[in-house]
Amino acid sequence: MALNQSELHSSLSEIITGVESSTASSSSSSSSNSNNDDITPFPSPVLSATSLAGLSLSSDGELEPEVDDNKIVTEEDRVKALEIKAEANKAFGAKDFNKSIELYTQAIALNPKDSTFWNNRAMSKAKMEEHGGAISDATKAIEINPAYSKAYYRRGLSYLSILRPTEAVPDFKKAIKIEPTNKPARDQLEVTVKLIRKIEFEKAISVGETESASSKCLALLSSGACALDTSASPSFPLPIIPQDPNARYKPTKDFVESMVEIFKDDGKIPKRIAWEIILGCKDVIEKEKTMVEIKIPDGVTCDIIGDTHGQFFDVVNLLSMTTPPSESHYMIFNGDLVDRGSWSVEVALTVFAYKWLYPEYVFINRGNHETNDMNKVYGFEGECKAKLGEMTFKLFADVFTSLPLAVLVSATQPPASSKSEGSQPAILSEGRRRFFVCHGGPPVSKDGVTLDEVRKIDRFGRQPGQEGIMCEMLWTDPQEPTGRGPSKRGVGLGFGPDVTKRWCDLNKITAVIRSHEVRADGYAIEHDGLCITVFSCPNYCDSTGNKAAYIRVQANGSLSYHQFDAVPHPPIKPMAYSSGFNFGGF
């Protein structure tokens, strides 16, 4: 049994915008499920069950006010709460999810005994990728009404969203037991069980593998097993092909720009060309340090691009605004090129091709979605297999583990102003501004971590794991309160402004520039200007209504922020190739 495509995408657009990792179950979940039961092959950071239990964070990172479960609810309270709920529903429909969370919170304060308020707030939090809070709210709804089928379904989806499928299965089963005609829950249970079996099978067959996908692909090229086939695009402008059949191809500007135009017209490139692009990019990035260090010469600009998540047509629009990379225009792609959007292959090939063409002007950081577990659930694996075959996905996955984790951007000219992006004087290094660019944030689970420790990370062949510097750089999130705490996404670590200040002072960093989180305006300046978020997916997953942005850095270290909106794209929905939330054999 399967949902048709319109039903599937309709339900997805209402409940999912994406996720970031694995988490343990909340205190009310089945005790038979534990961290050791996680069948994800490369588990991402896990938040402990004791940390998640009761977690309820507001949209600005503050802990939400405690609710008086014993409150005597008057008729006036009930009426007022329902009025506020109606306002919250309108805000949700208008994609103002921060406002809907705030309004549902007000309704809960008036009447904490209405389970629908909790479940509706859980849905709003899921839209903002706050799956830890969504699980907590859905759990509360279940405590109030143990027969609330939608709350079990909501919680199951949030568990699945943070890559805990074994936690999701009992909730889907419970939803079906309460409501046997609940077709979405039944279909989601079916696909989740298939996902678990698939992961278990792939773990079993991978035992003992020692040869990398890159080595296998190079051997296949040498044997002539992946010959160039131009039948799909006979007029495709090829890169430079040496006469020696075993020699590697070389990129040209015309080739890269024409490839982008072919992708815009829904065209494809031959598998051999795709392999050459990926391997060509690998040749460049494996020579780079874990923390790449660049200086911006006078007359040069550097654009920092946040998450792009397979939204190819928005990337093309972005390149038209920034202009493509060149000797006078550097570009940093700050991770999460792939997943969720249904043109992740085209985005990854475009960015990799520019890196292959301009190794000294284009830089790519690894994001938390350049990882095997995320790709398996959020679409890139299925998309890559559908468009270019399984070996191409394995090649991409191999090369992802070679991507650097950070770029240290240094100005070469004195600053025009002594002021930072916040209210304090800018932190300078030898009289110049410099910025630490990474996907999630700096390694701040403890004080005293230096740039030298970042430089020494052995990234090659590694997944981020569940702790340590590499994990933190892909997963951390800023928070409003001081100190450290659990991330509201239900994964990993949140770090406060005092933590950021100590790290920037220690390492003489003017500001951390990171991505990893949707922002309504496309960017946000936080922690008194020391932490800046940039997110480059407009109308994220076709459902969030946010603007996107990129940041331009000048040679004197001044920053400018450039917003843009989504552009039309062909009628293929996000998550079309997902194996976690989709059907159809991918």
Side-chain angles (χ1 to χ4, degrees), residues 9 14 43 53 95 142 152-153 159 161 182 192 194 230 241 252 265 289 307 323 353 424 426 431 440 532:
H9 292 308
E14 291 175 3
K95 302 180 181 180
I142 291 166
Y152 288 103
Y153 182 56
Y159 277 133
S161 293
N182 188 330
T192 303
K194 287 181 179 178
T230 60
I241 303 176
T252 66
D265 293 334
K289 303 294 185 183
D307 302 36
T323 70
Q424 302 297 323
I532 302 167

Side-chain angles (χ1 to χ4, degrees), residues 211-269:
E211 187 179 12
S212 71
S214 297
S215 298
K216 290 179 181 178
C217 288
L218 286 170
L220 288 169
L221 293 179
S222 297
S223 69
C226 188
L228 178 62
D229 176 12
T230 60
S231 60
S233 301
S235 60
F236 184 78
L238 300 173
I240 297 171
I241 303 176
Q243 290 185 343
D244 182 352
N246 293 325
R248 300 290 300 283
Y249 294 8
K250 296 182 180 180
T252 66
K253 182 173 180 287
D254 286 344
F255 155 68
V256 176
E257 292 179 349
S258 297
M259 180 185 72
V260 172
E261 291 301 313
I262 285 175
F263 288 158
K264 286 168 61 178
D265 293 334
D266 196 31
K268 304 185 187 314
I269 63 170

Side-chain angles (χ1 to χ4, degrees), residues 2-40:
L3 294 169
N4 63 44
Q5 289 295 307
S6 63
E7 289 174 328
L8 172 65
H9 292 308
S10 175
S11 67
L12 281 177
S13 68
E14 291 175 3
I15 58 177
I16 293 293
T17 58
V19 305
E20 302 302 352
S21 182
S22 336
T23 184
S25 64
S26 67
S27 58
S28 63
S29 297
S30 170
S31 61
S32 63
N33 292 318
S34 68
N35 291 347
N36 293 331
D37 293 328
D38 184 11
I39 46 70
T40 304

Side-chain angles (χ1 to χ4, degrees), residues 104-179:
Y104 288 130
T105 301
Q106 293 176 20
I108 288 169
L110 287 167
N111 183 6
K113 299 177 183 179
D114 190 320
S115 59
T116 60
F117 298 166
W118 294 93
N119 197 52
N120 286 2
R121 192 172 72 173
M123 292 182 66
S124 296
K125 288 180 177 179
K127 279 291 188 180
M128 298 303 294
E129 300 187 1
E130 299 174 17
H131 292 289
I135 290 168
S136 179
D137 281 356
T139 298
K140 186 66 176 179
I142 291 166
E143 290 174 359
I144 296 169
N145 180 7
Y148 196 175
S149 175
K150 289 182 179 179
Y152 288 103
Y153 182 56
R154 167 70 270 156
R155 190 172 68 178
L157 287 169
S158 287
Y159 277 133
L160 184 57
S161 293
I162 46 180
L163 303 185
R164 298 289 298 189
T166 54
E167 307 285 345
V169 166
D171 277 340
F172 294 141
K173 287 182 175 179
K174 185 69 174 180
I176 295 166
K177 183 177 181 180
I178 295 169
E179 188 182 354

